[in-house]
Amino acid sequence: MTPVSTRLVRLLNMVPYLKANPSITYAEAAADLGVSRKQLQQDLDQLWMCGLPGYGPGDLIDFEFSGDTIKVTFSAGMDEPLRLTSPEATGLLVALRALIDIPGVVDPQAALSAIAKIESAAGTVSHDHTHAAAAVEERAPIESDTAAAVRAAVRDGRALCIEYYSASRDQLSSRIVDPIRVVLVGDHSYLHAWARDADGVRLFRLDRIVEASVLDQVAVPPEPAVQAPPDTSLFDADPALPAATLLLAPAASWMFEYYPMRILEELPDGYHKAVITYASEDWMSRVLLGFGADVAVLAPESLVARVRRGAAAALAAYADLTG
């Protein structure tokens, strides 16, 4: 299965290539582009549905097929140099700078180089190019070997051997996985991959992958797993539901893998402040009481009071039992 990013690059290059080679044959184009005739036809069908906003006649990329030859009759500007408006350039710069600090998503050095080029092309630098030089010379964040290995495996379609820390079991395990993609969920990046030992799709948090090495094996995740979007329902929260702010002791850190929680703050000594949504305050209080001193409720006040009353009632019942 060809990665989406690889096909996108090929599609972006096809229009100027075909424009520069009018009435080229299918066989010649397929050979030059390094694809089969079937893939070339699929790419042309895809391009035929692309174009400028409006997407009506005169907006979409158009071709003329005569016998066994291909000719671009309307390129929708795809063969022209990219020209960004100021808001578009600003949006790209903000997104790139945000992605630099997220492990496994982009090559920090390549992102920094792109930032410098966009800043220069968008005219955000002075005439003496002082800002452009500063952007080029800015040091990119040091990418960990683990993040680089994950990114390389996803890009090249290679299997990975990872040492993964499981918070629920408080132990390291060695796994061989077939990477599918890197996804962002909340404040963390995850490797979406087919876990061979579990025979299923799993999300591995990148900051819990202690070590990763790219194997000399082609990644072979099942096609349905590749086509299906990652299941992030565990992390989704309904904004219409009430939310509780909790203080979790290190012993309760396994909760992050089993409850839809979002970390607000990492505190000293392994403590975390986190938020969780709930539908029933009665259910939420019963769940929290089961964790004892490992979880403290900070807000809302109504839930704090309910948990306090439940704890007092439990202590009173134990006192009665002991006479």
Side-chain angles (χ1 to χ4, degrees):
M1 176 68 180
T2 302
V4 174
S5 58
T6 302
R7 189 182 184 200
L8 176 60
V9 171
R10 187 173 68 247
L11 289 172
L12 291 174
N13 289 330
M14 276 182 64
V15 176
Y17 164 80
L18 293 172
K19 191 75 173 178
N21 296 275
S23 300
I24 193 170
T25 66
Y26 278 86
E28 291 171 329
D32 287 347
L33 295 169
V35 297
S36 65
R37 175 166 178 149
K38 179 180 179 182
Q39 183 62 63
L40 176 63
Q41 185 62 62
Q42 291 175 347
D43 289 345
L44 291 171
D45 292 341
Q46 181 72 52
L47 282 170
W48 219 341
M49 303 302 294
C50 300
L52 300 170
Y55 308 111
D59 296 320
L60 298 177
I61 295 172
D62 203 1
F63 299 93
E64 177 184 298
F65 302 106
S66 178
D68 194 45
T69 63
I70 312 163
K71 181 180 180 180
V72 177
T73 56
F74 181 67
S75 67
M78 291 286 287
D79 56 340
E80 300 291 335
L82 176 63
R83 298 185 182 277
L84 298 174
T85 64
S86 180
E88 288 171 341
T90 301
L92 276 177
L93 290 171
V94 170
L96 281 170
R97 289 202 174 275
L99 289 174
I100 282 178
D101 296 324
I102 301 174
V105 179
V106 297
D107 179 349
Q109 190 61 53
L112 199 63
S113 175
I115 287 171
K117 292 175 183 176
I118 294 171
E119 286 180 338
S120 178
T124 59
V125 299
S126 59
H127 294 297
D128 62 5
H129 301 290
T130 301
H131 291 81
V136 172
E137 294 171 2
E138 182 182 341
R139 292 177 65 89
I142 298 176
E143 185 178 35
S144 69
D145 293 340
T146 297
V150 169
R151 188 168 49 77
V154 173
R155 180 193 64 221
D156 301 334
R158 294 289 176 180
L160 265 178
C161 179
I162 63 174
E163 293 290 326
Y164 189 70
Y165 171 71
S166 174
S168 60
R169 293 192 295 271
D170 190 28
Q171 67 181 32
L172 286 173
S173 60
S174 180
R175 313 181 187 205
I176 295 179
V177 301
D178 297 302
I180 299 173
R181 59 181 68 88
V182 174
V183 297
L184 296 179
V185 183
D187 300 325
H188 298 282
S189 50
Y190 291 78
L191 171 63
H192 180 220
W194 181 265
R196 295 185 183 180
D197 60 331
D199 198 31
V201 172
R202 294 291 186 271
L203 287 173
F204 300 98
R205 222 170 86 173
L206 256 70
D207 60 357
R208 291 183 184 165
I209 300 178
V210 179
E211 188 176 340
S213 56
V214 182
L215 302 179
D216 190 22
Q217 302 176 19
V218 176
V220 286
E223 189 62 24
V226 175
Q227 297 298 331
D231 181 10
T232 60
S233 58
L234 175 65
F235 309 96
D236 297 336
D238 185 345
L241 295 176
T245 304
L246 310 177
L247 178 64
L248 279 69
S253 61
W254 60 268
M255 291 177 62
F256 293 122
E257 293 191 13
Y258 289 91
Y259 291 91
M261 306 179 71
R262 180 167 56 89
I263 297 176
L264 297 178
E265 188 178 357
E266 294 188 6
L267 302 172
D269 301 324
Y271 282 78
H272 291 85
K273 185 184 289 185
V275 65
I276 182 173
T277 58
Y278 57 93
S280 166
E281 195 169 84
D282 180 57
W283 173 85
M284 190 76 251
S285 64
R286 290 200 307 271
V287 169
L288 295 174
L289 284 168
F291 294 114
D294 289 338
V295 179
V297 189
L298 304 180
E301 186 57 40
S302 61
L303 183 59
V304 173
R306 194 180 193 106
V307 171
R308 186 180 294 122
R309 289 195 303 268
L315 290 173
Y318 278 111
D320 290 341
L321 286 173
T322 58

